[in-house]
Amino acid sequence: MVVPLSALPSPALVVGPDGRVDAANAQALAALGDVVGRPVRELAVGAPADEPVPLTLAGTDGTFATRAQAFEGGTLVVLTASQTTDALDPTLLAKAIDAANNAVVVADLRAPGQPLRYVNQGFTALTGYTADEAVGRNCRFLQVRNGVHDDTGDGQAEALARVRHAVQSGEPLDGGVVLRNYTKDGRLFYNELFLTPVRDEDGTLTHMVGVQNDVTRWKLAAHEAANERAHFGRVFDASAAPMGLLERGPDGLVVTTANPAARHAFGGAVAEIATNRTWRHAVASADRDGQPSRFDVALDDGRTLEVVLSPVPGEYEQFLYMATDVTDGREATEDLLNVSNRQLQQIAQDIHDGVGQSLVGASMLASVLARDLDEAPQAADARQLQQLLGRSLGSLRSFALGLDPVDIDQLGVGEALLRLVAEARATFDIDVGVEDRIGGRGVRPDARLDVYRVAQEALTNAVRHGGARAVRLALYSGPDGDVVLDVVDDGCGIEAGASASGGMGMRTMRARAQRHGGHVAVEGLDGGGTRVRLQIPAERLFTG
């Protein structure tokens, strides 16, 4: 038979029955050199002597893959692809795969049962099986423990179904699956498996390469975390206290969960929590300060819940809230504040009607005495006594006005704060200023005195406990619509956490704020000083 090698576009050889090259076309001679008459195996790269063609042949500028077709009297060998001489030696490649930390296996899909044909040292180290014990068996033996196949539960059936689909369809399993497997001595391990199909030159699926990673530590940690979450979930659901989680995402707050007690307490309003301005303000405050935020929620049934909302550490912006029924406590606080206001009014009235009138009478007598003495030496003493009694009467009236600013309804909050500042300036001899930015807006009668009392308490604390020499008060509308009263001083500051516990004064200020749906925060300032901030929703403060 004559083979027209010159008609072939690719390099081609004719190898005789004795294994020598009988003929070569011009392309083959250019690629391999003068090979006619040489044993073809002298040209082969990395092939054992008994391996049949096709072979990888070494040429002048690289190596060539080949395809072979036998015919009577010889074999036609066509060079199909070239590689540089720097191509990885197959022996070195095998050693590299064997030394890999990952477990690598090769399954033969052409053979019955699709047995393993190769396992690397990583596989034997991971499973405890030797290569001789693994090769020739289907990889399913790793799912057997004590003679029983572990093929259900914890996602095992779904993972195995994905493996079967990849094998049957010849598609890669790029995303990987996690399987429960067992070592030779029965120890459980979790195997993350990736599959890559191998096809021959005709595109026929022949083998599947599996790469396995030991993810036992990660999987067990995930199970432990899931168990902890489940335990917390049971406690969360069983709690009699209303509890829930809020999460802040790109579109705003989201109610991620609420326990049965919260759903019962808030009813349909649970879904509205994320859009409620009071809740959003509390979240912003807790996020900014890193401290729990407290506020009251009035329910339709007349009850009052105090909500404590705290930031949750972690990568997500989450906030845990817990509510407590404080209806009785708030009613008691309300009664206490009312009693306190009445007592202060009574004390102020008693001072005005008792000591005040006595001082007025004494001042008048001193004036008469000074007139009667006229030019006598004692007249100067009488006039000095009259002045002293007048100053005392002025101080007493200021003190009484502080106890009961009887004309606050006529003055308004802004003017009342101006008088408070003037009295403090005269009494304590300090630098005090006030800025009223809400102007003539009418404050509800039930809130006027409480705003005044908070300012009074904060100002007094700044001087007596903080040693402040300068205090600034500002009453204004905040960016979120709340009305804000800031009292800022240059005193010694406040220790971290002190405001959370507070004394009677702090508790009273907080109670006054809560009765109007607001809250009070106290914080130390960088470089010294303290800020007391009262915030009340505008709709709860202003008339109309």
Side-chain angles (χ1 to χ4, degrees):
M1 176 180 181
V2 178
V3 179
L5 296 183
S6 60
L8 296 178
S10 302
L13 307 173
V14 173
V15 179
D18 59 356
R20 293 179 178 274
V21 179
D22 289 343
N25 64 5
Q27 296 94 319
L29 294 174
L32 303 177
D34 186 9
V35 293
V36 176
R38 294 178 58 187
V40 71
R41 295 203 176 275
E42 291 184 359
L43 309 175
V45 176
D50 58 351
E51 182 179 339
V53 290
L55 303 171
T56 298
L57 303 182
T60 56
D61 296 324
T63 59
F64 295 85
T66 63
R67 294 183 64 183
Q69 178 66 50
F71 64 92
E72 185 179 356
T75 303
L76 173 65
V77 179
V78 178
L79 280 62
T80 60
S82 64
Q83 300 175 342
T84 67
T85 53
D86 294 331
L88 191 62
D89 186 300
T91 302
L92 178 59
L93 180 60
K95 291 180 179 179
I97 295 175
D98 207 38
N101 291 328
N102 306 93
V104 180
V105 300
V106 178
D108 188 348
L109 304 188
R110 301 167 302 179
Q114 300 170 339
L116 296 178
R117 295 301 189 198
Y118 169 81
V119 297
N120 73 341
Q121 291 181 2
F123 176 88
T124 61
L126 173 62
T127 66
Y129 289 96
T130 65
D132 290 340
E133 292 171 323
V135 171
R137 303 172 66 182
N138 186 285
C139 207
R140 286 193 297 270
F141 71 87
L142 292 176
Q143 297 150 27
V144 177
R145 185 181 191 185
N146 298 327
V148 178
H149 268 88
D150 181 5
D151 53 10
T152 59
D154 194 24
Q156 183 86 333
E158 293 81 359
L160 291 172
R162 289 189 61 195
V163 172
R164 285 193 294 271
H165 174 76
V167 172
Q168 292 168 2
S169 64
E171 298 176 357
L173 196 59
D174 294 331
V177 295
V178 176
L179 297 168
R180 283 195 310 273
N181 283 170
Y182 298 92
T183 63
K184 183 179 179 180
D185 59 7
R187 178 181 58 83
L188 168 69
F189 71 95
Y190 287 90
N191 171 22
E192 184 182 35
L193 174 65
F194 298 84
L195 294 176
T196 302
V198 179
R199 300 179 183 275
D200 64 13
E201 296 164 346
D202 295 325
T204 302
L205 181 65
T206 62
H207 296 80
M208 191 69 79
V209 177
V211 178
Q212 302 169 329
N213 301 315
D214 184 0
V215 293
T216 306
R217 182 179 300 178
W218 169 82
K219 190 68 175 179
L220 292 179
H223 279 166
E224 183 177 354
N227 290 336
E228 290 180 355
R229 287 194 297 271
H231 176 70
F232 172 77
R234 290 191 294 271
V235 174
F236 183 81
D237 289 341
S239 173
M243 300 173 63
L245 276 174
L246 303 178
E247 184 171 320
R248 185 158 58 192
D251 298 326
L253 280 177
V254 177
V255 179
T256 56
T257 185
N259 72 346
R263 291 192 292 271
H264 175 74
F266 296 111
V270 167
E272 302 172 3
I273 285 176
T275 58
N276 183 277
R277 189 165 59 85
T278 300
W279 286 81
R280 287 191 289 108
H281 180 83
V283 166
S285 176
D287 189 33
R288 180 186 64 247
D289 302 333
Q291 298 291 331
S293 180
R294 298 172 179 268
F295 58 97
D296 282 0
V297 175
L299 302 181
D300 293 339
D301 60 7
R303 290 182 299 135
T304 299
L305 298 183
E306 182 185 48
V307 178
V308 180
L309 186 144
S310 305
V312 179
E315 59 181 306
Y316 301 105
E317 289 189 276
Q318 292 182 319
F319 303 86
L320 172 70
Y321 69 83
M322 180 180 296
T324 306
D325 190 335
V326 294
T327 306
D328 295 339
R330 291 292 180 265
E331 292 175 352
T333 299
E334 187 74 15
D335 292 341
L336 179 61
L337 290 175
N338 291 333
V339 169
S340 174
N341 288 337
R342 288 196 297 271
Q343 287 179 335
L344 291 174
Q345 291 171 351
Q346 185 62 51
I347 293 171
Q349 189 66 40
D350 291 344
I351 290 174
H352 181 271
D353 295 344
V355 179
Q357 295 304 317
S358 297
L359 285 176
V360 169
S363 178
M364 293 175 63
L365 288 175
S367 177
V368 172
L369 180 61
R371 187 182 65 247
D372 290 345
L373 292 175
D374 195 14
E375 299 299 330
Q378 292 81 7
D381 294 335
R383 284 190 292 273
Q384 185 176 3
L385 176 61
Q386 180 188 10
Q387 294 171 357
L388 178 61
L389 289 171
R391 288 195 298 271
S392 298
L393 180 60
S395 297
L396 188 64
R397 284 175 174 170
S398 294
F399 177 69
L401 182 62
L403 292 175
D404 180 25
V406 292
D407 53 355
I408 190 173
D409 290 342
Q410 290 73 37
L411 294 175
V413 173
E415 185 64 28
L417 292 178
L418 286 171
R419 288 198 177 187
L420 175 65
V421 164
E423 294 162 9
R425 189 183 297 118
T427 303
F428 301 121
D429 188 26
I430 61 171
D431 178 15
V432 189
V434 62
E435 182 180 3
D436 175 17
R437 301 182 202 166
I438 65 172
R441 298 185 65 181
V443 176
R444 294 179 185 274
D446 60 340
R448 293 169 187 161
L449 186 58
D450 286 321
V451 174
Y452 178 88
R453 291 294 186 208
V454 170
Q456 186 182 47
E457 178 72 22
L459 178 57
T460 302
N461 287 342
V463 177
R464 292 181 176 173
H465 304 301
R469 300 305 304 163
V471 184
R472 291 290 178 270
L473 286 76
L475 186 65
Y476 58 95
S477 294
D480 55 0
D482 284 353
V483 176
V484 181
L485 170 68
D486 272 346
V487 182
V488 181
D489 67 67
D490 65 350
C492 62
I494 186 170
E495 294 182 3
S499 63
S501 57
M504 179 59 71
M506 182 63 205
R507 290 195 292 271
T508 303
M509 286 194 292
R510 184 178 290 133
R512 292 187 184 278
Q514 287 173 334
R515 72 194 303 200
H516 306 293
H519 67 279
V520 172
V522 182
E523 62 175 331
L525 303 177
D526 293 340
T530 303
R531 174 187 288 115
V532 177
R533 173 167 290 173
L534 166 68
Q535 291 185 240
I536 297 177
E539 63 269 18
R540 298 287 297 274
L541 189 66
F542 294 125
T543 58

